[in-house]
Amino acid sequence: MSQSAAPDIKKGYLLLLITMLIWGSFTLMSRLGAKQDLTAWDITALRFATAFVVLMPIQLWRRELKFLLDKRILWLALLGGIGYSCAVYSGFSYAPAAHAAIWLNGFLPLATAISAWIVLKEPFGKNTWISLLFMAAGLSGMMAVMQYEGQFYLSIGDAFFVLGAALWGIYTVFLKRWMLPPWQAMAGVAIWTAIVYLPVYALFLPKKLAQASHMVMLEQGIFHGVFVVIIAMLTYIGAVERLGAFKTGSLLALAPFLAALAAVPLLNEPLNLAIGVGLLGMGIGALQPWRLWRQG
């Protein structure tokens, strides 16, 4: 490695660390929002209303609004904005944070691989099959332990997490297929989601914002609207540019699993043997450590 490249690599790891902290905190903040009696619809509204308030003046100042007329932006908003957010936040209303690490983040590689196979005609490679075997073993082991302990259950929250993973996988594949500029994809999805979702939320969806304090609304809005929608996406793209997609994606997969561990003291949600087995299998499958060993 040349001396000139070293600072860029260090910056890549710094951007990756920021992304990991935000994505890991996303799980905890979403579950906390559910415990604060906010509905999934409330958190989605706070997320994209805040992002809209921040991004729209920037786009007006930059005089860049024409790209919003691209139908592809609207489709991405329906998939990765409205669909994904509603599914995930609904999941956090019914299931603990550790379940999200398994069924949402752990299921993402499979959802993305299937979507790429259908949309981009990309076949499953050897590493993908190995990952799927580890994931299946982790999920099977988790269910077996829970069955042995008489605590086996699958809630509707887990189904919402699987749906969220599927929608994000489809979103990711179409984002790759259409090769839209990162800023336009991020800003367009946020703005269109707000335009489509907020009127529906205001007129038809159940809400509990009147029961929440201004501080709760402020912290949820800023975190989800600014940190998750805007900052995390930009730092993720910057890390990929400097470290490569594989290394960034592999290390970033640690974030939800660390969040499941943090949920034990912070949210008082127990991490039992069954969840631990599931996390282990899904973590190995997502990280693909054998590829790192080959590269080393």
Side-chain angles (χ1 to χ4, degrees):
M1 181 190 305
S2 65
Q3 292 183 350
S4 60
D8 211 40
I9 296 295
K10 291 180 179 179
K11 187 175 181 180
Y13 280 114
L14 176 61
L15 293 171
L16 177 60
L17 177 61
I18 295 172
T19 311
M20 287 182 66
L21 290 174
I22 295 175
W23 281 29
S25 300
F26 168 78
T27 301
L28 300 176
M29 287 293 290
S30 299
R31 184 62 177 157
L32 180 61
K35 287 178 174 288
Q36 292 170 332
D37 292 327
L38 291 174
T39 68
W41 317 116
D42 294 331
I43 300 177
T44 304
L46 290 171
R47 170 176 180 152
F48 289 104
T50 304
F52 182 87
V53 169
V54 173
L55 290 171
M56 199 62 187
I58 295 176
Q59 294 305 119
L60 291 172
W61 175 73
R62 296 177 64 175
R63 298 180 180 179
E64 292 182 359
L65 295 176
K66 188 176 181 179
F67 73 91
L68 293 174
L69 300 177
D70 191 332
K71 293 181 180 179
R72 296 174 298 177
I73 295 288
L74 178 57
W75 278 112
L76 291 175
L78 293 174
L79 291 169
I82 298 172
Y84 171 79
S85 299
C86 291
V88 170
Y89 292 135
S90 295
F92 282 115
S93 298
Y94 298 99
H99 283 222
I102 296 172
W103 296 108
L104 175 62
N105 301 93
F107 195 72
L108 270 174
L110 174 60
T112 304
I114 293 175
S115 300
W117 175 60
I118 295 174
V119 177
L120 303 179
K121 310 302 180 184
E122 292 182 358
F124 282 21
K126 179 181 179 181
N127 291 312
T128 301
W129 282 113
I130 296 175
S131 291
L132 296 181
L133 288 175
F134 273 108
M135 293 174 185
L139 291 178
S140 300
M142 179 191 72
M143 295 177 190
V145 173
M146 294 175 72
Q147 181 70 32
Y148 177 78
E149 296 177 345
Q151 298 177 346
F152 177 75
Y153 72 94
L154 292 174
S155 70
I156 190 174
D158 299 316
F160 278 123
F161 287 143
V162 172
L163 175 61
L167 290 171
W168 190 260
I170 298 171
Y171 163 82
T172 302
V173 168
F174 276 107
L175 193 64
K176 179 180 179 180
R177 177 180 180 179
W178 290 331
M179 297 294 290
L180 298 169
W183 176 267
Q184 289 187 9
M186 179 274 296
V189 166
I191 291 172
W192 263 117
T193 301
I195 292 173
V196 174
Y197 176 79
L198 291 178
V200 176
Y201 166 78
L203 294 174
F204 303 109
L205 298 178
K207 53 189 74 67
K208 294 184 179 180
L209 282 181
Q211 303 174 21
S213 68
H214 290 93
M215 182 56 65
V216 168
M217 290 190 289
L218 186 64
E219 67 184 20
Q220 290 287 341
I222 291 177
F223 177 78
H224 292 283
V226 177
F227 284 87
V228 176
V229 175
I230 301 174
I231 297 177
M233 182 58 67
L234 295 178
T235 55
Y236 174 74
I237 294 171
V240 170
E241 291 176 345
R242 292 165 175 82
L243 303 177
F246 168 68
K247 183 177 290 186
T248 301
S250 297
L251 296 175
L252 194 59
L254 287 172
F257 300 103
L258 297 176
L261 297 176
V264 177
L266 295 178
L267 300 180
N268 196 29
E269 295 183 352
L271 187 68
N272 55 32
L273 176 61
I275 297 297
V277 171
L279 289 175
L280 180 62
M282 300 303 290
I284 295 175
L287 289 171
Q288 297 184 347
W290 58 89
R291 293 183 62 177
L292 291 174
W293 295 332
R294 290 174 188 170
Q295 292 178 2

